[in-house]
Every structure is written in structure tokens, then in C-alpha cells.
Amino acid sequence: MPRNPILSASRIRAAALHIIDRDGLDGLSMRKLAAELGVQAASLYGHVSTKDDLLHEVASEILEKVDVSGFSGGDWQHGLTMCARSYREALARHPNIVPFLAYGPAHREASLRRLDVVHGALVAAGWTRREATMIAASLMYLVFGAALSSFSSGFSEDQTLYQDRYPNLDKAHLLPAVAAELDRDSFELALSAFVTGLAAQRVAASD
């Protein structure tokens, strides 16, 4: 056995994620991955069974960066806010893999461990199990919606497209230049409204 093997699980994951970041989710194949690593495709199967298994392993590594420590003090509002922000940040680094992650936790250990923390904290705070599931799902809709698209980038920088025809959008051509900032602030607005609304609902239910 060589002291420094050509292949390792971590190197394979890193190369796969590099391809996804560069070429998109559909751009990853075991043959392309092998070429990226300078080996034959058959060599990969000693480390990973299928492309789907590899994607789950890559996804788990990304999701390890999602922070659920905010729930540890019993403050579910703080926990949801921290979790959502770190989740969006993790996805923003690798937007091409977001569609794969959006299908739910599947059997990914990293996803299920975090979901278990979120669900347990919400139930401990007085939400029913059904409500806790709905809150976690709603948070994912918010996070993945933000990760899958940029509202501000969808406008044209050509002012003539909006002038006269859409008088209330006469400044829309300026949005692409500030898309990152506006998308972040829009996410924060939606997150704040979501958590504040839940808190109000919790108070109303306890009256």
C-alpha cells in the first residue's frame, strides 16, 4: 500500500463538488470524476458505490456547516434564525447542488441530526409534533427559495424596458447592481416575519 494513496473518500468528494460547482449537477459523471482525479472510473467504486451515494456524501459535508447550536439555550426563535442564516450561507457557496438538496433529508446523517435537534427544540418549546414538522418544512421552503433564485438579478439593466410602460418600476434597472445586498436583506425580512409571526401564534395559543 502506498503511504499516500491516490484516492481517498475526501479527495473524491472534493473533486465531485468542484465539478458540480463548475459544470452543474448534470455535469457530474463517474467517468468525468475519474478523469478529474487521473484514474480509471473502476477505481472509484472501491470508495463509493453509486453516483447517488456520492452526491449524498457531498451533500452531508456541505450540511455539516449548518449551525443548530442556537437551540441549545432553549430559545427556539434564536435557534431558527441562526439555523436559517447558516443554511443559506452554506447553500450560497455551492448553488449548483441546491436542487439535489431540496428533495429533503433522505438518509443523510448530517441532515437528520440537525432536523432532530430542530424538531426536539420546537416540541420542547410547546409546539405539537405536527406543528414542529410544519415549521421545519416552512423554514426549508424559505431557505431553499432564497438559494434557488435571485429576485433582483432577474431585472434588466436596460432602463428603457421599464420607463413609461411600468411607471412604478422606473428604478428596476438599478436592482441587478445591488442584487446580493437586496437578496440578503429580503431574506432577512422574510425570516424575521416568519419567526415573529410564529412567536405571535405561540402567544395566542397559550392565552
Side-chain angles (χ1 to χ4, degrees), residues 46-172:
H47 300 270
V48 61
S49 300
T50 66
K51 175 183 170 181
D52 195 57
D53 286 342
L54 174 58
L55 285 171
H56 281 298
E57 290 178 11
V58 171
S60 290
E61 193 163 90
I62 292 171
L63 295 177
E64 288 291 349
K65 298 176 176 63
V66 176
D67 186 1
V68 292
S69 64
F71 290 101
S72 61
D75 186 343
W76 63 269
Q77 297 177 60
H78 177 61
L80 284 178
T81 301
M82 280 188 62
C83 177
R85 286 173 177 163
S86 64
Y87 214 132
R88 178 175 180 263
E89 186 177 340
L91 297 183
R93 296 191 188 102
H94 307 287
N96 288 341
I97 201 172
V98 171
F100 179 79
L101 291 168
Y103 285 106
H107 58 269
R108 291 189 295 271
E109 174 67 16
S111 297
L112 293 171
R113 273 191 285 108
R114 282 156 178 76
L115 186 57
D116 187 64
V117 170
V118 174
H119 195 271
L122 291 171
V123 172
W127 297 96
T128 67
R129 294 174 69 88
R130 184 174 188 273
E131 288 169 336
T133 299
M134 293 168 63
I135 291 170
S138 298
L139 190 70
M140 292 304 98
Y141 299 150
L142 179 60
V143 170
F144 280 97
L148 283 169
S149 64
S150 168
F151 177 77
S152 304
S153 296
F155 290 89
S156 170
E157 294 181 344
D158 183 358
Q159 186 177 11
T160 62
L161 291 177
Y162 307 104
Q163 272 184 333
D164 301 326
R165 296 180 63 193
Y166 309 104
N168 296 309
L169 298 176
D170 61 330
K171 301 297 184 184

